[in-house]
């Protein structure tokens, strides 16, 4: 459902102020999609400048926010003023773009994690080989007292120490993963994605739209370094990429296993546990009540038996 606040927003890029450093934003503006404003009649989005410390800041001083702005919120970068009538379209396309690139972000994160593991193994292997070769060279120097003595293996043949070139230490880029549209290099977090560059793709990738027709997308990903240099001069199949095209910031997906539960969820979980304990106490109290009634009934019967024995008198002695 489209947020009403984006329909009635009246924000201009050049008149915005950064909510982190409080300075005027003279260049590109980043605004948050996740922050909810309490008063929709006077809407004021969370705006940030492009300074790294401001992009990664946590905003807590805004009293009109239902909750603080977090560094992992979804951000849209606009280099031109966003008119009131365009906010609805921008919000909708940005949300669709975040949903679309989620799969790419997961694949890139998995590939990066695998590359780091293999790089660590290669470094460990290189370190082991280097230590072994150094030890052999020291032994050779001690025997011949000649620093240029080559390392020899069995049979007197020179043994070449295996080295791993830097270019081969990292794994090649997966051809199925997207690359930067400007430098064509591999993507690392954070990177950017254009929400307006659509058209016929050069790759045979077909996506099924909501109206059940096949269409192709000319996805434009831009690495953080190329984006910092300004708007790249790129001709896309849908037209030229310009500064009027807004970008979304793509972050590494958070690990749900290591992520702590929000306060509301923790309170809900504690409340359910307390309700379960209260239910068990109620059952125990009911059992105790039944046991008390049983003991009273037993005492009453014992009293009745004692009275009957008194009325019957002492037992007669046998002759």
């Amino acid at each position: 459902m489209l947020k009403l606040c984006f329909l009635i927003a009246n924000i201009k890029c050049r008149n915005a102020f950064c909510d982190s450093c409080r300075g005027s934003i003279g260049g590109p503006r980043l605004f948050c999609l996740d922050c909810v404003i309490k008063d929709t009649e006077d809407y004021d989005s969370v705006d940030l400048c492009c300074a790294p410390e401001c992009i990664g800041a946590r905003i807590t001083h805004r009293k009109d926010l239902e909750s603080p702005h977090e560094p992992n919120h979804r951000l849209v970068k606009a280099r031109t003023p966003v008119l009131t009538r365009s906010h609805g379209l921008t919000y909708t396309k940005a949300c669709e773009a975040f949903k679309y690139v989620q799969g790419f972000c997961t694949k890139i994160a998995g590939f990066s994690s695998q590359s780091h593991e293999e790089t660590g193994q290669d470094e460990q292997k290189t370190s082991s080989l280097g230590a072994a070769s150094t030890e052999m060279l020291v032994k050779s120097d001690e025997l011949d007292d000649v620093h240029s003595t080559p390392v020899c293996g069995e049979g007197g043949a020179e043994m070449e120490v295996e080295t791993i070139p830097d270019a081969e230490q990292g794994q090649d880029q997966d051809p199925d993963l997207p690359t930067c549209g400007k430098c064509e290099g591999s993507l690392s977090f954070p990177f950017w994605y254009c929400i307006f560059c659509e058209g016929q793709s050069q790759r045979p990738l077909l996506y099924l739209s909501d109206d059940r027709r096949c269409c192709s997308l000319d996805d434009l990903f831009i690495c953080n370094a190329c984006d910092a240099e300004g708007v790249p001069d790129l001709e896309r199949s849908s037209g030229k990429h310009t500064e009027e095209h807004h970008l979304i910031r793509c972050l590494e997906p958070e690990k749900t296993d290591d992520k702590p539960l929000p306060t509301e969820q923790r309170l809900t979980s504690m409340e359910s546990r307390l309700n379960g304990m209260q239910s068990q106490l109620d059952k125990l109290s009911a059992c105790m009540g039944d046991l008390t009634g049983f003991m009273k009934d037993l005492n009453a019967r014992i009293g009745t038996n004692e009275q009957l024995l008194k009325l019957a008198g002492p037992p007669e002695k046998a002759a």
Side-chain angles (χ1 to χ4, degrees):
M1 179 179 180
L2 181 63
K3 291 184 178 179
L4 180 61
C5 56
F6 275 87
L7 292 175
I8 61 178
N10 187 13
I11 306 169
K12 293 186 177 180
C13 179
R14 302 305 177 187
N15 297 330
F17 292 87
C18 178
D19 286 304
S20 177
C21 65
R22 313 294 181 90
S24 177
I25 302 177
R29 175 175 67 94
L30 292 96
F31 59 90
C32 181
L33 296 180
D34 294 329
C35 286
V36 180
I37 310 299
K38 296 178 182 178
D39 187 6
T40 57
E41 294 181 359
D42 188 17
Y43 180 79
D44 184 15
S45 65
V46 174
D47 301 324
L48 300 171
C49 64
C50 291
E53 58 272 15
C54 294
I55 295 178
R58 187 172 188 264
I59 308 300
T60 58
H61 67 273
R62 289 278 299 265
K63 303 301 181 182
D64 58 338
L65 299 180
E66 292 189 359
S67 59
H69 168 77
E70 302 294 344
N72 60 347
H73 279 185
R74 297 177 298 173
L75 296 179
V76 179
K77 175 180 285 190
R79 288 187 166 92
T80 57
V82 182
L83 302 178
T84 302
R85 62 177 181 270
S86 303
H87 261 276
L89 175 62
T90 301
Y91 177 82
T92 300
K93 292 187 72 67
C95 291
E96 292 176 352
F98 272 112
K99 184 178 180 181
Y100 172 70
V101 301
Q102 184 177 3
F104 291 105
C105 292
T106 302
K107 292 181 180 179
I108 293 174
F111 180 82
S112 300
S113 177
Q114 182 181 359
S115 298
H116 289 322
E117 293 178 358
E118 293 181 356
T119 302
Q121 295 176 359
D122 292 341
E123 290 178 353
Q124 183 178 3
K125 181 179 179 182
T126 305
S127 177
S128 301
L129 291 173
S133 60
T134 302
E135 182 179 356
M136 295 177 67
L137 284 172
V138 170
K139 291 182 178 180
S140 177
D141 291 341
E142 291 177 354
L143 292 175
D144 300 335
D145 196 21
V146 178
H147 295 286
S148 59
T149 303
V151 181
C152 298
E154 297 181 359
E158 293 187 2
M159 181 178 63
E160 296 181 357
V161 180
E162 181 181 358
T163 58
I164 301 177
D166 294 338
E168 296 178 0
Q169 288 184 4
Q171 187 177 358
D172 295 335
Q173 175 71 13
D174 191 335
D176 294 333
L177 296 179
T179 57
C180 176
K182 181 179 179 181
C183 66
E184 298 183 358
S186 59
L187 297 172
S188 59
F189 299 102
F191 57 87
W192 304 86
Y193 175 77
C194 180
I195 65 176
F196 289 125
C197 283
E198 299 180 359
Q200 183 65 33
S201 175
Q202 296 178 358
R203 294 180 298 172
L205 297 177
L206 294 179
Y207 303 93
L208 199 60
S209 59
D210 295 336
D211 56 0
R212 313 308 295 176
R213 293 181 301 175
C214 291
C215 62
S216 299
L217 300 181
D218 190 4
D219 303 321
L220 176 56
F221 295 87
I222 304 175
C223 67
N224 200 38
C226 291
D227 177 75
E229 297 176 356
V231 182
D233 187 11
L234 300 174
E235 287 290 345
R236 314 298 293 174
S237 58
S238 58
K240 187 176 181 179
H241 175 72
T242 66
E243 63 176 4
E244 297 180 356
H245 289 193
H246 306 320
L247 308 175
I248 60 173
R249 184 182 62 146
C250 302
L251 298 177
E252 183 176 4
E254 296 182 355
K255 297 180 180 179
T256 55
D257 296 339
D258 300 335
K259 183 180 179 181
L261 292 176
T263 304
E264 184 178 354
Q265 293 186 11
R266 292 201 300 267
L267 292 176
T268 303
S269 178
M270 292 176 62
E271 183 179 359
S272 62
R273 292 182 181 179
L274 290 175
N275 291 336
M277 294 175 62
Q278 184 64 40
S279 178
Q280 294 179 359
L281 288 175
D282 293 340
K283 291 181 180 179
L284 182 59
S285 299
C287 292
M288 293 296 294
D290 295 340
L291 182 60
T292 302
F294 176 76
M295 293 298 296
K296 290 180 179 180
D297 184 59
L298 181 59
N299 291 332
R301 291 184 180 184
I302 292 175
T304 301
N305 291 336
E306 291 178 350
Q307 292 178 2
L308 291 175
L309 290 174
K310 290 179 180 179
L311 293 175
E316 296 181 353
K317 297 182 180 180

